[in-house]
């Protein structure tokens, strides 16, 4: 079962990485296009080449901000399952290092359940937002794509994250109950 959840978390992270790379390329291309457009409109650069390039449509990518908003909604949630599975979240243990091991296991279990509950609430609220946006037929300003598309991407990531978090909370509950470490942290960001 652990392998399945880990595989799912990795697939989501890969999809999030691909989406993030595409968003970076779109943003960079839009900035370069906007800068070239500005430079080509200067009187000193005016001429046949500048007019020809402007005629090709050199400029910012239409709707770049809309694409960035919708894509980042998915990207953020796409990386959370892997962070949850590998204990990749930052933790500051200055107040808990002195606690007995058993107490730390119980505290970790409680934190996992609180995190899982918060992610379930986020997923439910994203589902409500998705339904509301789909019913309203709201579209983005420039590209006119349905706003619910961004909500759908975020909901996919949030749902996978919520499921993975519930699984990890169950694992941490078993660890607290037995006093044994069932899943060693694959990586972490301890500070």
């Amino acid at each position: 079962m652990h392998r399945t959840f880990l595989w799912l978390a990795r697939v989501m992270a890969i999809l999030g990485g691909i989406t993030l790379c595409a968003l970076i390329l779109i943003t960079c291309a839009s900035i370069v296009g906007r800068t070239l457009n500005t430079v080509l409109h200067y009187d000193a650069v005016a001429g046949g080449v500048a007019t020809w390039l402007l005629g090709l449509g050199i400029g910012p990518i239409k709707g770049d901000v809309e694409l960035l908003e919708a894509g980042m909604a998915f990207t953020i949630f796409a990386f959370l399952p892997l962070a949850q599975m590998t204990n990749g979240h930052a933790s500051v243990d200055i107040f808990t290092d002195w606690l007995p091991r058993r107490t730390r296991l119980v505290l970790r279990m409680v934190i996992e359940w609180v995190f899982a509950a918060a992610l379930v609430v986020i997923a439910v609220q994203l589902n409500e937002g998705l339904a509301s946006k789909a019913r309203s037929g709201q579209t983005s300003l420039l590209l006119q794509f349905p706003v619910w598309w961004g909500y759908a991407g975020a909901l996919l990531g949030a749902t996978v994250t919520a499921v993975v978090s519930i699984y990890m909370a169950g694992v941490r509950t078993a660890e607290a109950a037995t006093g044994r470490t069932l899943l060693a942290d694959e990586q972490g960001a301890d500070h």
Side-chain angles (χ1 to χ4, degrees):
M1 181 179 241
H2 181 72
R3 286 180 191 226
T4 302
F5 282 109
L6 188 58
W7 175 84
L8 182 60
R10 286 181 176 154
V11 167
M12 287 300 294
I14 289 168
L15 292 174
I18 291 168
T19 304
L20 183 59
C21 288
L23 293 173
I24 290 168
L25 290 173
I26 289 170
T27 302
C28 290
S30 189
I31 290 168
V32 168
R34 182 175 290 114
T35 302
L36 284 173
N37 185 285
T38 301
V39 168
L40 292 172
H41 274 94
Y42 286 138
D43 289 335
V45 183
V49 174
T51 304
W52 177 74
L53 287 172
L54 289 170
L56 291 176
I58 292 198
I61 294 175
K62 180 181 177 184
D64 59 341
V65 173
E66 294 172 0
L67 292 171
L68 186 64
E69 288 173 349
M72 283 308 294
F74 168 73
T75 301
I76 290 167
F77 284 106
F79 290 117
L80 282 175
L82 188 59
Q84 190 65 18
M85 288 293 297
T86 60
N87 195 34
H89 299 294
S91 65
V92 181
D93 299 329
I94 192 168
F95 299 112
T96 58
D97 279 344
W98 58 272
L99 294 172
R101 183 176 186 284
R102 186 84 161 170
T103 304
R104 286 194 315 264
L105 288 173
V106 170
L107 181 61
R108 187 172 190 182
M109 175 198 69
V110 170
I111 291 168
E112 291 281 356
W113 278 111
V114 169
F115 195 68
L119 285 164
V120 168
V121 168
I122 289 170
V124 167
Q125 291 302 311
L126 277 170
N127 187 50
E128 292 297 319
L130 172 98
S132 172
K133 296 299 181 186
R135 279 192 307 271
S136 74
Q138 184 179 353
T139 60
S140 66
L141 181 66
L142 297 175
L143 297 178
Q144 295 295 304
F145 67 81
V147 172
W148 68 264
W149 289 359
Y151 279 78
L155 178 60
L156 171 65
T159 301
V160 171
T161 304
V163 169
V164 166
S165 294
I166 291 168
Y167 166 73
M168 289 304 295
V171 168
R172 300 308 178 203
T173 300
E175 288 179 345
T178 63
R180 294 185 355 225
T181 301
L182 301 177
L183 288 177
D185 295 337
E186 293 184 29
Q187 64 188 23
D190 292 325
H191 301 286

